[in-house]
Amino acid sequence: MQVLPYVDRPVPQGPRAYRTRLRSLGPLAALLPAAVIGGAAVLALHGSSSVGRGATGFALAVFAAPLLLAFGGPLTSGTAMFASAVGASAVLWFVIGVVASRRATRSPVATWRDFWREFAWPAVGVWIGVVAALGVADLVIGRALF
């Protein structure tokens, strides 16, 4: 029976460089889920003439840009309002990415899996807040949203 030798693959450029890469690219990586969800929202809303596609597109847009509601998203329109809401939401996701990258790299052997685990908790919290805000808006406006 032939035994294969164990090959220990080192961390490219060392653990310190890998941690630095996680800390520098983590905040930018945190923008990716919002960008993908926002792209899906644009695709759903573009040429939408059905209620289902409109509601799906709106829900995706609010999950991608959670501050859209704070800027008056469904009730007001205009390029400046949407640009401000998307910009502020990008800053929110970037800050969450900074915090997640710092928390993930507290361990000297941090990986991208650690980063996404640290990112998931605040992201889910933001999305729960969005659902709660939509529920409160539905109660205040009186069945105009759902």
Side-chain angles (χ1 to χ4, degrees), residues 8 13 25 34 53 56 59 72-74 81 90 101 110 116 122-123 131 134:
D8 188 23
Q13 299 176 351
L25 294 178
R53 250 178 95 179
T56 301
M81 187 276 302
S101 67
W116 289 114
V131 171
L134 285 172

Side-chain angles (χ1 to χ4, degrees), residues 6-139:
Y6 176 73
V7 177
D8 188 23
R9 295 183 181 164
V11 177
Q13 299 176 351
R16 177 177 265 166
Y18 197 73
R19 286 182 68 216
T20 303
R21 189 175 323 133
L22 272 172
R23 284 193 173 186
S24 61
L25 294 178
L28 296 176
L31 298 173
L32 289 177
V36 169
I37 295 170
V42 168
L43 289 175
L45 291 173
H46 184 70
S48 172
S49 59
S50 69
V51 174
R53 250 178 95 179
T56 301
F58 175 69
L60 288 172
V62 172
F63 283 135
L67 294 176
L68 189 64
L69 296 173
F71 281 81
L75 302 177
T76 58
S77 62
T79 306
M81 187 276 302
F82 284 116
S84 299
V86 168
S89 296
V91 169
L92 171 71
W93 291 120
F94 188 84
V95 168
I96 289 174
V98 168
V99 172
S101 67
R102 298 289 180 201
R103 289 179 54 93
T105 55
R106 286 187 296 184
S107 168
V109 289
T111 64
W112 281 104
R113 173 182 272 177
D114 298 324
F115 169 78
W116 289 114
R117 184 177 34 245
E118 293 293 339
F119 173 79
W121 285 104
V124 168
V126 166
W127 292 329
I128 289 171
V130 165
V131 171
L134 285 172
V136 168
D138 182 46
L139 290 173

